Amino acid sequence: MFRSTAGITAQNICPEVTMTERTLAIIKPDAVKRGLVGTILKMIEESGLTVRGMKMIHMTRAQAEGFYAVHKERPFFAGLTEFMSSGPAVVAVLEGENAIAVYRELMGNTAPAKAAPDTIRKLYGLDVEKNSCHGSDAPLTAATEIAYFFNNLEISS
């Protein structure tokens, strides 16, 4: 079993209940701009997750609004969609045992100041919005988010 620098693996998140699943990861424009794509991908792979599909995109404002539509009524929606369409991002399909929980633990708290040590957001996040990464929060959300960016031919098995 590979271990990340944070020691986060599928086995120490949910040692008794394991299930292979997929989740969407986004390396946000702030992290891409600072040259952190390789560093973050290394952390993901060292956590035991496998990248099954990946591409660099530059969302339009309309695409960002569609992706974050669930937050449309929230006060941060306009700033978030402006930021997410401000530059290139990397979207990836991750797979592994309890992939959603493993990746969420690896990302850390949305607020970098509150994130656990050695998590992506603690190490590389700038603030709540520019926190370097996004990850799905549940299996249904993951399926919807993956389908937003990938078709079946773009995901390896």
Side-chain angles (χ1 to χ4, degrees):
M1 169 79 51
F2 293 98
R3 297 186 77 72
S4 73
T5 56
I8 300 163
T9 68
Q11 290 305 309
N12 64 19
I13 298 295
C14 300
E16 296 178 20
V17 180
T18 58
M19 181 173 75
T20 298
E21 60 188 5
R22 289 182 174 167
T23 190
L24 180 79
I26 301 177
I27 301 175
K28 292 182 176 182
D30 64 297
V32 172
K33 184 177 182 177
R34 290 181 289 141
L36 297 171
V37 173
T39 301
I40 292 172
L41 287 172
K42 183 176 189 228
M43 291 176 73
I44 289 168
E45 289 183 327
E46 287 178 347
S47 76
L49 297 172
T50 302
V51 176
R52 293 294 182 194
M54 182 171 58
K55 56 188 168 183
M56 184 174 281
I57 62 169
H58 190 150
M59 282 191 269
T60 64
R61 181 74 178 259
Q63 289 168 328
E65 289 172 350
F67 181 74
Y68 287 106
V70 67
H71 299 301
K72 189 171 185 157
E73 302 305 319
R74 297 287 198 82
F76 58 80
F77 180 76
L80 175 63
T81 56
E82 181 179 340
F83 164 63
M84 289 301 292
S85 59
S86 70
V90 173
V91 291
V93 178
L94 308 180
E95 184 178 80
E97 291 182 7
N98 301 307
I100 295 167
V102 170
Y103 185 55
R104 291 188 69 73
E105 185 78 13
L106 180 63
M107 286 190 302
N109 189 294
T110 304
K114 296 179 182 176
D118 297 323
T119 60
I120 296 167
R121 289 172 172 159
K122 185 66 167 186
L123 294 170
Y124 307 114
L126 301 174
D127 56 42
V128 173
E129 184 176 81
K130 295 175 182 74
N131 59 17
S132 299
C133 57
H134 165 89
S136 307
D137 63 1
L140 183 57
T141 310
T144 302
E145 291 181 348
I146 289 168
Y148 195 84
F149 294 110
F150 293 90
N151 66 52
N152 288 336
L153 295 174
E154 296 173 309
I155 302 170
S156 69
S157 49

